[in-house]
Every structure is written in C-alpha cells, then in structure tokens.
Amino acid sequence: MSLWMILVLIAAVGLAFWVGWLASKKIGQGKIASAEVLAQKIVSEAEKEAEALKKEKLLEAKEEWLRLKQSVENEVKSQRAELHRLERQLQQKESSLDRRAEMLEEKLRGLDRQQEALRQKEQQLQQREAKLSDLEEEQRRRLERISGMSQEEAKQLLIESMKDRAKREAAQIAKEIKDQARLTANREAREIVIQAIQRTAADHSVETTVSVVTLPNDEMKGRIIGREGRNIRSFEQATGVDVIVDDTPEAVILSGFDPFRREVARIALEKLISDGRIHPSRIEEVVQKTQKEMEEKLLEIGEQAMLDAGVHGLHPELVKLLGKLKYRTSYGQNVLQHSIEVAYLAGLMAAELELDGNLAKRAGLLHDIGKAIDKYTEGTHTQIGVEIAKKYGEGPIVLNAIAGHHEDVEAISPITILVKAADAISGSRPGARRETLESYVKRLEKLEQLAKSFEGVGQAYAIQAGREVRVMVQPEKIDDAAAEVLASEIAEKIQSEMEYPGQIKVTVIREYRAVDYAK
C-alpha cells in the first residue's frame, strides 16, 4: 500500500472519529438538558408538596393547640367552680361555728345565772336548817320535860314500835305474795301443759299381737304348710312365731307377743312367697338373712326417731337401741312413739319456762331407753337406762331424768320434773295404753324365761297365745330320754311359779343334723 493511501485512511479514520465525537457530544448535551428539565420539574413538585405538608402540619398544630387550650380552660373553670364551692362551704361552716359559739356563750351565761341562784338557795337552806336545828332542840327539851324520858329512851321505844309494825306488815305482804304466786303458778302450769298437749296432739293405737300377710292366691297356703306340715313347722321353729292358716281368703296370720320377732317373720314370709321356693333349708336361710337386715333397719329407725324429735349427736349404739324401742310396747303403747312424744312435750314445756329445750328433748327421748334390753338384763328399766346412757357419754341431767322419771331418785334439775310430767301426759291419754295387753306380754316373756332357765335349752318360744311353749334343746347336751324329763320339769316349774288361764303345753324338740360336703 502507498503512503498516500495510508494517509488517506488515517485521515478518514480521524474524520470519522471527530464526526462520532461531535454526534455523541450533541446527544449528551440533549440528555443533560432533558435531565435538567426533569430535575427542575421534580424540585418544583417537591417544593409544592413540602409547602402543602407544611400547611397541613401547621393546621394540625393549630388544632392541637386549640384543643389543649380548650382543655386547659375547661380544667381551670372546673377548679374555679370547686374553689367557689369550697369557699361557700367554708363560709357556711364559719357561720355555723359562729352561731354555735354564740349559743355556747349564752348557755355559759345561763349556767352562771343558775349557779348564782343555787348559791343563794343554798345559803337560804343553811339558814333554815340552823333555825330547824334550834327548834328541834327546843322541842326535844320540852318533850323530855313532859314525858319524863330521855332522847335515847324515846328513840328505843319508837324503834321497837316500828319493828313490830314492820313485822306485821311484812308477814301480811309475804302471805299475799305466796297466795298470788300459788294461784299464778297453778294457772300458768295448767296453761303450759294444755299448750304442750294441744301442740303435740297425736293419734294412739294399741299394739296388737298379730300380723296379716297377704297371699297371691289360696294355693300358696298349701305351699306354706308343706308336705305333712314340714314347712310351717320349720318356719315356726326358726322365727318363734305361730303361723295361723284358716279360712281367711288369700291371707295367713302371724301370732306372737314379740313385735320384733313377728316383724322378722312377716318380712321373711313375704320374701319366701315372692321367691316361690319354700322348703325347710330355704326357710332357715331367708330367716337368718332377714334377721341381719333387721339389725341394719334398727339404726335407720333410730335415726328417723332422732330427726322426728329434733335430737342430734347420740352415740350410734343409743341410736340402735332407739330403733329397738319400735318393737317394744308398754301397756299396749309403742315405746318409741311414746318416747318421741315425751321429747316433744318436754321440749315445749321447757321452752315455755325458758329452760334448755334441746336438753329436755334429749332426756325425754332417752327416758325409756332401758326398755330396749330390760327383758334380757337384770334390773328395772330405769337402772338399765342410766347404765347405758352413762356408758355412751350422756350428761348428769339426762341421767337424772332417766332415773327420776318414776321417782326412783331425787330430781336435781327441772328437766327431770318436765320429763316425768311429759311421761305421765303421754301415758294417760285416752287409748294410749291397755293394761291387759301388757300383763299378757309379760306373762309370755316370763314363760319363755322359765323355759330358758334349764341347762341345755337353746331357744324357747311361747306360741298359741301362750297356750304352748316350744323348747329347742342342744342335741349334744340333751338326749331323747332327757328331753322327756326336761318337758316334765319345765311343766312343773310353770305350774309352781306362774298364774295362767287353762293349760300350757310344753313341747321339747331335739333335732340332730349331720352335714357334709361333696367335693
């Protein structure tokens, strides 16, 4: 390549570079101008927004200032109002104190005037006393001259005369007081007793010695009797109750003087009828189970009696003995109902006399507690009751009421007198008691006790209304020959120690059982 060509090429390249530089410069200047315009626009908009924001903030600040100003003004107004109210109160108190001060000053002036008046009256009284003393002395001298007695002798004579007169008046007043107290006491006592009787008015029904068990049909009578009478004999031996099967439709009668035994027999027979299985072994099983259930029932009966009488806190054994009283009678009257009624009456009378009503109720409820076991223990029911109550933590007043309600001991508390009166009221109501039933029950109890007094006797039951006594002996102690001798001895003892109508049949039963188990 020639030098010319090279130079031309270099010149072309340089020209092209220059042209490109000029073009890029113009383009850059256009961009700069455009950017400057955009920047100015952005700045202008920013200034406008800043101005608007500034105005907004100023407005908000002004509103906040106005709000704070209004709040401060309201608070200032409230404080001013409170200050005005306090000022008015202070002014009122000041005026009230001023009035009180004026009143006190006036009272003080009045007291001063009264004191001055009293001082003057005191001086006048002293002057009068001096004059009276002189007059008395002058009168005394005159009386001594006239009567011929000294002052001491006249004084002694006057005193003796006044003593005699005072004694006569005192005796007369005492007599009038006693007569009035006696009349008032009798009237109030009658009112208290009448109110107590009226408020505890209760129905009485004399206890009977039979229970009726309803049967589903008359065919059940044959099942109760059993083949050759074995079922009925087993039932009577297990319960000690006589079963009477007669023409009464769909019913049998249980006869026995012991209500507890009769109740056990009634429940057991109803269970046997309901179950349908009636045979000797089942009878013994049901009777034993019923006896255990009755022991539990006694506690429930005692608790209900406590609730009815309003008595609390008795020992569980005392509660159980109370339950037993439901199955005891006294002259035909149920002892538990009688005890509850005595508790009511004693409590009401104690309340009328402003005594401890709760203590009176407690003593009344327990006054016959000894009757629950008196036929199994020696001693009167009051002695036994005191021992039982003392054993289970009863206090001296309750013990005295138990012992003294039949006047066995002297009463140490009015509670004893109230219990005695309540016992008499309850027992004396028309229809409450029946003498013949009580003597009948005692005769049957004595009949059983006579039979049990012989050695080798296990159980003895009086049945057929006391016309027969069945004696179950222990087969290991009494053999067949001795059983005949025992029947004769029991009959002779009954003849010698008891009085009874007609005759009494003595039946001695000796039964030996051999039991084994197939394994």
Side-chain angles (χ1 to χ4, degrees):
M1 181 180 295
S2 64
L3 180 58
W4 175 249
M5 291 295 290
I6 293 171
L7 291 174
V8 171
L9 182 60
I10 290 171
V13 170
L15 182 61
F17 178 77
W18 180 77
V19 171
W21 178 80
L22 287 176
S24 64
K25 183 177 180 181
K26 285 189 175 289
I27 293 169
Q29 288 177 351
K31 289 183 177 179
I32 290 171
S34 177
E36 289 177 353
V37 172
L38 181 60
Q40 288 178 356
K41 185 179 180 181
I42 292 172
V43 170
S44 176
E45 291 178 355
E47 289 176 351
K48 291 179 180 179
E49 290 179 359
E51 186 67 22
L53 184 61
K54 179 180 178 182
K55 290 180 180 180
E56 184 179 352
K57 294 298 181 181
L58 286 173
L59 287 173
E60 290 179 356
K62 188 175 182 180
E63 289 176 357
E64 181 65 20
W65 179 79
L66 290 173
R67 187 182 61 79
L68 292 174
K69 181 181 178 183
Q70 184 66 32
S71 176
V72 171
E73 289 178 352
N74 291 336
E75 187 175 354
V76 169
K77 288 180 180 179
S78 175
Q79 290 178 354
R80 285 178 180 174
E82 182 67 19
L83 288 173
H84 288 318
R85 187 181 63 80
L86 293 174
E87 286 178 359
R88 286 194 299 272
Q89 288 182 353
L90 288 173
Q91 291 175 356
Q92 291 174 357
K93 288 182 179 179
E94 287 177 357
S95 61
S96 176
L97 289 173
D98 292 338
R99 287 193 300 272
R100 288 184 181 180
E102 291 176 358
M103 291 172 63
L104 288 173
E105 290 178 357
E106 182 63 27
K107 286 182 179 180
L108 289 173
R109 288 193 293 271
L111 289 173
D112 291 339
R113 289 192 297 271
Q114 290 178 2
Q115 188 175 2
E116 181 63 23
L118 288 173
R119 188 181 61 80
Q120 293 176 0
K121 287 183 179 180
E122 185 178 359
Q123 290 177 354
Q124 293 175 0
L125 287 173
Q126 288 175 354
Q127 293 173 359
R128 289 182 180 179
E129 285 180 358
K131 290 181 180 179
L132 286 173
S133 297
D134 295 339
L135 290 172
E136 286 178 357
E137 182 65 22
E138 179 66 23
Q139 190 70 21
R140 184 182 62 79
R141 287 195 297 269
R142 288 181 180 179
L143 287 173
E144 286 180 356
R145 287 196 302 270
I146 295 171
S147 63
M149 291 190 302
S150 66
Q151 181 180 359
E152 292 297 325
E153 291 174 349
K155 184 187 294 184
Q156 189 66 29
L157 181 62
L158 182 61
I159 290 173
E160 292 296 331
S161 174
M162 292 179 66
K163 280 184 178 179
D164 292 340
R165 181 178 178 182
K167 286 181 180 178
R168 288 194 301 271
E169 291 180 354
Q172 182 65 27
I173 292 171
K175 182 177 182 299
E176 292 176 357
I177 291 173
K178 287 181 179 179
D179 293 341
Q180 184 65 28
R182 190 177 294 108
L183 292 173
T184 304
N186 290 334
R187 183 173 62 254
E188 291 181 353
R190 284 194 296 270
E191 290 177 355
I192 290 171
V193 171
I194 290 169
Q195 288 178 8
I197 293 173
Q198 289 175 344
R199 292 173 64 183
T200 58
D203 294 332
H204 281 284
S205 59
V206 178
E207 297 288 330
T208 61
T209 58
V210 296
S211 297
V212 178
V213 178
T214 304
L215 304 179
N217 50 63
D218 285 335
E219 294 179 359
M220 185 60 67
K221 292 181 180 180
R223 300 182 63 184
I224 291 172
I225 296 172
R227 183 178 298 176
E228 298 178 355
R230 63 176 186 173
N231 290 347
I232 195 170
R233 284 198 303 273
S234 297
F235 187 84
E236 290 176 345
Q237 291 175 11
T239 60
V241 173
D242 190 18
V243 181
I244 301 173
V245 181
D246 54 16
D247 296 335
T248 304
E250 298 181 352
V252 295
I253 298 173
L254 303 178
S255 176
F257 72 93
D258 189 328
F260 183 78
R261 251 189 243 159
R262 197 168 65 249
E263 182 67 9
V264 170
R266 184 188 66 81
I267 296 174
L269 184 57
E270 288 179 350
K271 286 183 178 180
L272 289 168
I273 293 170
S274 176
D275 182 60
R277 294 175 293 169
I278 305 177
H279 50 80
S281 60
R282 177 63 178 167
I283 289 170
E284 292 182 1
E285 178 185 349
V286 171
V287 170
Q288 291 175 1
K289 185 178 179 181
T290 304
Q291 288 173 344
K292 292 180 180 179
E293 291 175 354
M294 284 295 294
E295 292 294 329
E296 298 176 358
K297 187 178 179 181
L298 292 177
L299 193 60
E300 296 178 3
I301 295 170
E303 291 173 350
Q304 185 61 44
M306 288 174 56
L307 184 64
D308 293 341
V311 176
H312 307 284
L314 292 181
H315 192 279
E317 289 299 323
L318 288 177
V319 178
K320 189 174 180 180
L321 290 174
L322 276 177
K324 286 186 177 181
L325 290 180
K326 182 177 180 181
Y327 302 102
R328 285 300 313 275
T329 58
S330 178
Y331 296 97
Q333 185 181 21
N334 185 279
V335 178
L336 180 59
Q337 293 300 323
H338 166 68
S339 299
I340 294 172
E341 185 172 296
V342 170
Y344 283 151
L345 292 167
L348 289 172
M349 290 190 288
E352 292 291 335
L353 296 172
E354 297 183 356
L355 300 175
D356 190 340
N358 292 328
L359 188 60
K361 288 180 181 179
R362 193 182 191 93
L365 186 64
L366 296 177
H367 81 286
D368 272 345
I369 195 68
K371 289 185 177 181
I373 57 173
D374 62 350
K375 62 180 180 180
Y376 308 112
T377 308
E378 292 184 0
T380 64
H381 76 276
T382 55
Q383 295 171 345
I384 298 168
V386 169
E387 292 177 2
I388 295 169
K390 186 176 182 180
K391 178 180 178 181
Y392 296 117
E394 292 300 320
I397 293 179
V398 175
L399 297 178
N400 183 254
I402 296 173
H405 75 277
H406 284 318
E407 298 182 351
D408 294 340
V409 298
E410 184 178 356
I412 63 172
S413 167
I415 300 296
T416 302
I417 306 301
L418 293 181
V419 171
K420 176 186 171 184
D423 179 56
I425 292 169
S426 175
S428 62
R429 290 192 180 192
R433 293 186 172 186
R434 189 171 66 193
E435 175 70 29
T436 55
L437 178 60
E438 179 70 12
S439 60
Y440 161 72
V441 171
K442 287 183 177 180
R443 178 167 60 83
L444 297 189
E445 288 177 349
K446 186 176 181 181
L447 183 61
E448 288 187 349
Q449 290 171 1
L450 285 177
K452 289 179 182 178
S453 64
F454 289 85
E455 186 178 358
V457 174
Q459 293 292 336
Y461 301 116
I463 61 175
Q464 297 289 347
R467 292 189 295 273
E468 179 181 358
V469 57
R470 291 186 181 177
V471 182
M472 269 64 74
V473 299
Q474 301 172 1
E476 63 274 12
K477 294 183 178 181
I478 304 293
D479 56 14
D480 291 339
E484 294 183 0
V485 176
L486 179 62
S488 177
E489 291 176 351
I490 292 174
E492 290 177 359
K493 190 169 185 180
I494 292 172
Q495 291 176 8
S496 62
E497 296 185 12
M498 288 187 63
E499 294 181 2
Y500 49 90
Q503 61 181 12
I504 298 176
K505 177 182 178 182
V506 179
T507 303
V508 176
I509 300 172
R510 179 179 181 271
E511 183 180 16
Y512 181 81
R513 297 184 184 184
V515 180
D516 200 355
Y517 298 92
K519 301 179 181 178

